[in-house]
Amino acid sequence: MSANDVVSIGLHIVDVLGRPVTEIPPGQGMRRIDEIAITVAGTAAATSVGLARLGVRVESVGALGEDSLGRFLRQKMLDEGVGCAWLTEHSGVPTSATMLPIRPDGSRPALHVVGANAVLEADHVPWSDMAETKVLHLGGTCLLPGLDGEPAARVLERARNNGLITTLDLIPTGDATDLDALLPALPHVDYVFPSYEDALSLAGTDDGAEAARFFLDAGAGCVVITMGGDGACLAARGRGELRRPAYDVDVVDTTGCGDAFAAGFITGLVEGASEESALELGLACGSLVATGLGSDAGLTDRAALTRFMEATPRRDKERSG
């Protein structure tokens, strides 16, 4: 049995990124770019790396293929100090991977292989390894067909019954099945982390306040909506909204900013900080990751994060509504 502050369950992906990409050359043409990177990614794996860099004891739970990408991902996470005893390997499926051509403004289309993430199930959750765990994080709802819906609800309910704080991050696909994957889980979630665009889409509205109410009415204890350069908004049942502006940074790549935000916010929960302090940590982590290429850029350790928070100005503009 190992001692963990956080168990992070869900998507484990290898990202291959290149920047800046302004076009895909036709045929077998070539374009020179400035930088290519290969990184640990995914709403469970990248969040685990961020947590480990912030000094949090974390165990990552996910499914890999029996291939070179899976071996890379496991070794990289071990090198970062993430517990990997519950990363399972599966024959006949590849490790999940994404190719990301990063545009000059930091945005990125994605070419994605679902792979082994599709075989992750509730039976993979290491209940015997969670005696000291404070937070159970589920990352990747809507892209975990073996876990989405009622299986995720059972996992989260059991975690809360065992006294854990539960957090959830999601990646909607735009299909009607997204709500089937998400809604059963929300009554058992203390904090859910949708992006602004995803919150609007799932709620079927163009109003941020209505989107927040959608998650709260569906049962979530608290919804934390990330809004990119416009900061973040936290809303909870029976309480008002808390909004904080983003840090003012030059954006290189937005890949993994949401995962880093979750890592910062969860770090605050582990430390027993206020929700406002957790929100600040999340914003700082997400902003730092935006300054480099890939999910592991910028964020190095807690001391550097503190220096960044003390020295970096904030953006004045916040999204209204």
Side-chain angles (χ1 to χ4, degrees), residues 208-209 227 232-234 241-245 279 318-321:
M227 301 183 293
C233 173
L234 182 152
E241 289 186 344
L242 174 63
R243 290 175 175 263
R244 296 299 295 153
L279 191 64
E318 296 181 48
R319 192 189 301 268
S320 61

Side-chain angles (χ1 to χ4, degrees), residues 13-17 37-42 72-73 96-100 112 255-256 259 294-295:
I13 300 170
V14 174
D15 275 359
V16 180
L17 314 97
I38 179 168
T39 68
V40 171
F72 163 82
L73 190 150
S96 179
T98 306
M99 291 192 295
L100 294 154
H112 180 65
T255 303
D259 306 329
S295 298

Side-chain angles (χ1 to χ4, degrees), residues 1-317:
M1 182 180 296
S2 59
N4 308 294
D5 298 308
V6 178
V7 169
S8 180
I9 303 165
L11 292 181
H12 286 66
I13 300 170
V14 174
D15 275 359
V16 180
L17 314 97
R19 63 168 291 272
V21 177
T22 56
E23 64 173 336
I24 303 298
Q28 298 187 63
M30 185 192 78
R31 296 290 184 275
R32 293 182 179 181
I33 58 177
D34 296 339
E35 188 177 4
I36 292 175
I38 179 168
T39 68
V40 171
T43 37
T47 299
S48 293
V49 170
L51 286 163
R53 290 186 177 185
L54 293 172
V56 176
R57 302 175 303 171
V58 56
E59 187 80 27
S60 210
V61 181
L64 310 177
E66 293 180 340
D67 53 23
S68 58
L69 289 181
R71 290 190 291 275
F72 163 82
L73 190 150
R74 180 188 294 275
Q75 188 58 56
K76 177 62 175 173
M77 294 181 75
L78 287 170
D79 292 344
E80 295 283 357
V82 177
C84 294
W86 295 92
L87 287 181
T88 55
E89 296 178 357
H90 302 265
S91 62
V93 291
T95 297
S96 179
T98 306
M99 291 192 295
L100 294 154
I102 309 302
R103 299 187 178 105
D105 66 356
S107 63
R108 75 278 187 224
L111 303 171
H112 180 65
V113 173
V114 174
N117 284 319
V119 304
L120 183 66
E121 298 179 344
D123 289 344
H124 292 112
V125 180
W127 299 110
S128 62
D129 219 10
M130 298 169 68
E132 299 183 30
T133 302
K134 299 176 182 178
V135 177
L136 184 140
H137 176 64
L138 175 58
T141 295
C142 302
L143 279 180
L144 296 167
L147 191 55
D148 283 340
E150 290 299 332
R154 291 193 298 272
V155 169
L156 293 163
E157 181 180 26
R158 181 171 175 179
R160 289 179 90 184
N161 289 340
N162 289 346
L164 278 66
I165 299 170
T166 56
T167 62
L168 184 147
D169 202 352
L170 57 151
I171 304 182
T173 65
D175 295 336
T177 56
D178 287 342
L179 291 179
D180 295 332
L182 176 64
L183 291 179
L186 286 180
H188 312 290
V189 173
D190 293 308
Y191 297 92
V192 57
F193 306 127
S195 71
Y196 186 77
E197 290 75 15
D198 289 341
L200 294 182
S201 176
L202 288 164
T205 181
D206 59 2
D207 181 80
E210 288 184 8
R213 285 195 296 274
F214 164 81
F215 284 90
L216 298 177
D217 290 346
C222 181
V223 57
V224 186
I225 300 178
T226 56
M227 301 183 293
D230 295 320
C233 173
L234 182 152
R237 286 194 297 245
R239 291 183 278 145
E241 289 186 344
L242 174 63
R243 290 175 175 263
R244 296 299 295 153
Y247 287 83
D248 192 9
V249 298
D250 293 327
V251 175
V252 171
D253 171 25
T254 58
T255 303
C257 291
D259 306 329
F261 177 93
F265 194 97
I266 292 168
T267 296
L269 297 178
V270 168
E271 295 175 349
S274 67
E275 289 178 342
E276 182 174 7
S277 295
L279 191 64
E280 294 283 7
L281 286 171
L283 283 167
C285 290
S287 298
L288 266 173
V289 167
T291 64
L293 183 63
S295 298
D296 61 355
L299 181 61
T300 56
D301 56 45
R302 184 59 182 273
L305 179 68
T306 299
R307 291 193 296 272
F308 170 83
M309 295 173 71
E310 292 172 347
T312 308
R314 309 295 283 272
R315 296 188 179 212
D316 294 330
K317 180 182 177 182

